[in-house]
Amino acid sequence: MTVLPSAVGIAGTGSHLPHEPIGVETYLAAGLELSPMDNGPLLRPPQWRHHVKPGDRAAELIERAALPMFERLGVDPAAEVDLLLTNVLLPDDLFTGCGADTADRLGITPESIIDLHNGGCASFPYMLKIAAGLMAAHGARGALIANVQNTAGQIFAQPGNRFKQHSVVAGDGCGVAYLTADASSRLLGVRTRNTPATARDVGMATEDGRHYWESGSGVLDVQFDAAKTKETLDLGNRIVPELVRELAQEHGFAVEDIDVLITNQPNRIFLRNWRTALGIPPERHLDTYDLYGNLYGAAAPVTLHRALTDGRIEPGDLVVTAGFAHAGDFAAAAALRF
């Protein structure tokens, strides 16, 4: 169990979706062919998604999500942000990450900058846990956490990948949250689980079998181990409801008490199966899949920001955010009282 400061919570959220939305009709006009199954209600590609363009940097997306948030809150980030955590699916710079670039763009000099490269689709609740723990240990005034998904426009939109099933469903975007020790919301707790044996079941791959850093021909893609498809799907279906139940038991609330459930948004099948397993009606499990596609790790903070902006979260609501990453090697769930 994570020991958290008595009142640490989310003081504000923000998001940025790059460029104009791209409709599924654009793909169909360009030659995407949908089978009857692909065109069914559960497997049909999302109606809309956004793509980054060449030259768009992760730090720029964070800047565009964070600065309006700080302005709304009346917060001077240079004076109040002591801790910066980022998770970027495709780092622009392999050695330095994007944290320092982000801090420079925001005009901040945090005591700690952490570029968290694991956690994937479950990295938002994981970063809540890490930020809260560091704030408890070191008394940081404020923490900025940021998720960036940027593979749709850079990897999945390439000619060799564009019409693959996982490419068609992906979108790009950024979500951020600002944590303080006196926020009106409160982080109740976070539950995480590592399943290391599945870590090699997904990764970067090329048709000629080279490493991503080796010279050669053939587009870089993300591929799952086809021989373990059933195991991956079974684990994905099971692990999110399990983590939510464990979180509820650990922190003294019932699953039925959850007012709003926010998960990562991989596809309609997982969304349906998770809420069915937990007995949560669709109107309480927020779904942004048709608006943004699969945003990977950014899905949770982007969906949370939209929910707060649209008034979907009321004072006193119990909000749980949860997800699983990659082929299931990591999963996390967090509970907040707004």
Side-chain angles (χ1 to χ4, degrees):
M1 180 185 295
T2 304
V3 178
L4 301 175
S6 60
V8 69
I10 294 177
T13 59
S15 69
H16 175 70
L17 289 307
H19 309 294
E20 293 300 314
I22 301 168
V24 68
E25 290 79 10
T26 301
Y27 280 86
L28 296 172
L32 173 66
E33 296 181 1
L34 297 177
S35 70
M37 181 174 290
D38 292 334
N39 206 26
L42 287 179
L43 294 179
R44 182 175 172 81
Q47 181 60 43
W48 302 102
R49 84 279 290 138
H50 296 253
H51 282 180
V52 295
K53 295 180 179 179
D56 289 342
R57 293 181 62 82
E60 290 178 291
L61 272 65
I62 297 172
E63 178 186 17
R64 291 169 184 166
L67 286 182
M69 174 190 69
F70 286 128
E71 185 176 351
R72 288 193 306 270
L73 295 172
V75 168
D76 176 7
E80 300 296 333
V81 176
D82 299 318
L83 175 61
L84 171 63
L85 287 86
T86 73
N87 176 266
V88 178
L89 198 58
L90 185 66
D92 296 310
D93 304 301
L94 293 180
F95 297 108
T96 62
C98 84
D101 187 10
T102 298
D104 183 57
R105 290 173 184 275
L106 295 176
I108 63 177
T109 54
E111 181 179 347
S112 298
I113 299 175
I114 301 173
D115 291 306
L116 186 75
H117 292 308
N118 70 325
C121 297
S123 54
F124 182 68
Y126 189 32
M127 288 195 291
L128 290 175
K129 175 180 180 178
I130 293 172
L134 289 173
M135 291 174 74
H138 302 290
R141 290 163 296 180
L144 175 64
I145 61 177
N147 281 96
V148 176
Q149 146 59 3
N150 56 349
T151 59
Q154 298 188 98
I155 291 181
F156 299 145
Q158 295 187 46
N161 292 332
R162 189 177 184 190
F163 294 146
K164 294 178 180 178
Q165 187 178 45
H166 61 279
S167 300
V168 172
V169 305
D172 289 327
C174 171
V176 301
Y178 177 55
L179 274 66
T180 67
D182 58 356
S184 57
S185 68
R186 183 188 172 197
L187 180 62
L188 303 179
V190 183
R191 183 81 176 177
T192 59
R193 183 190 298 180
N194 288 284
T195 311
T198 68
R200 293 183 298 276
D201 295 346
V202 63
M204 307 304 292
T206 59
E207 292 180 357
D208 56 6
R210 74 183 192 279
H211 292 292
Y212 73 91
W213 45 264
E214 291 181 308
S215 60
S217 60
V219 66
L220 188 68
D221 192 17
V222 178
Q223 294 182 5
F224 286 80
D225 185 340
K228 296 184 178 180
T229 299
K230 183 179 184 304
E231 290 86 345
T232 300
L233 293 175
D234 287 347
L235 180 59
N237 277 319
R238 186 179 75 249
I239 197 168
V240 170
E242 285 180 355
L243 259 290
V244 172
R245 292 191 189 98
E246 290 173 9
L247 180 72
Q249 182 176 14
E250 189 173 72
H251 293 281
F253 62 86
V255 170
E256 302 83 61
D257 296 333
I258 298 173
D259 296 295
V260 176
L261 174 65
I262 296 173
T263 62
N264 61 310
Q265 307 276 311
N267 55 55
R268 293 186 179 91
I269 294 176
F270 275 129
L271 293 174
R272 180 200 63 181
N273 291 348
W274 291 338
R275 61 175 171 259
T276 299
L278 290 168
I280 293 178
E283 62 271 16
R284 285 164 46 200
H285 181 197
L286 303 190
D287 183 349
T288 56
Y289 179 74
D290 255 332
L291 291 171
Y292 310 129
N294 182 4
L295 283 178
Y296 293 81
V302 168
T303 303
L304 175 61
H305 177 65
R306 184 177 181 91
L308 290 167
T309 301
D310 291 348
R312 297 286 300 275
I313 296 174
E314 307 256 347
D317 276 356
L318 176 63
V319 178
V320 169
T321 176
F324 84 103
H326 315 123
D329 61 285
F330 181 72
L336 301 109
R337 179 72 70 179
F338 277 81

